[in-house]
Amino acid sequence: MKNTINGKSILVVDDEVDLRDAIIFDFKKLGYKTLEASDGVKALEIVKDVTVDIVLSDIRMPNVDGVELLKNIREFHLKKPVV
């Protein structure tokens, strides 16, 4: 089976540091390039400047929650699928 993960990036957004670190650890082991943000505001700054393949986000966060983050990301990347 061909490894299609190499070169793919994932942005992990969660205000709980320990959980965010654990998720990042697991994705790095799988070969993903990882980025992180502690809230939706920081995540939006990242997606405006960097192309990411996947955004994994908590729903309940301070400042901009996960639902609002998704709406804002869709404005920048209309053709990317949303799960």
Side-chain angles (χ1 to χ4, degrees), residues 24-75:
I24 288 170
F25 177 81
D26 287 340
F27 278 108
K28 280 185 177 181
K29 280 179 40 179
L30 292 172
Y32 283 93
K33 294 178 185 176
T34 59
L35 299 148
E36 64 181 287
S38 59
D39 62 35
V41 173
K42 292 179 179 125
L44 285 171
E45 291 172 5
I46 291 170
V47 297
K48 286 179 184 177
D49 294 333
V50 178
T51 300
V52 296
D53 297 296
I54 301 168
V55 176
L56 177 63
S57 177
D58 187 9
I59 296 294
R60 286 181 244 155
M61 297 180 292
N63 302 321
V64 174
D65 67 21
V67 174
E68 189 65 27
L69 172 61
L70 173 62
K71 289 177 187 175
N72 284 294
I73 289 174
R74 296 293 291 157
E75 290 179 18

Side-chain angles (χ1 to χ4, degrees), residues 71-82:
K71 289 177 187 175
N72 284 294
I73 289 174
R74 296 293 291 157
E75 290 179 18
F76 296 105
H77 305 286
L78 293 176
K79 295 183 181 182
K80 291 212 175 193
V82 175

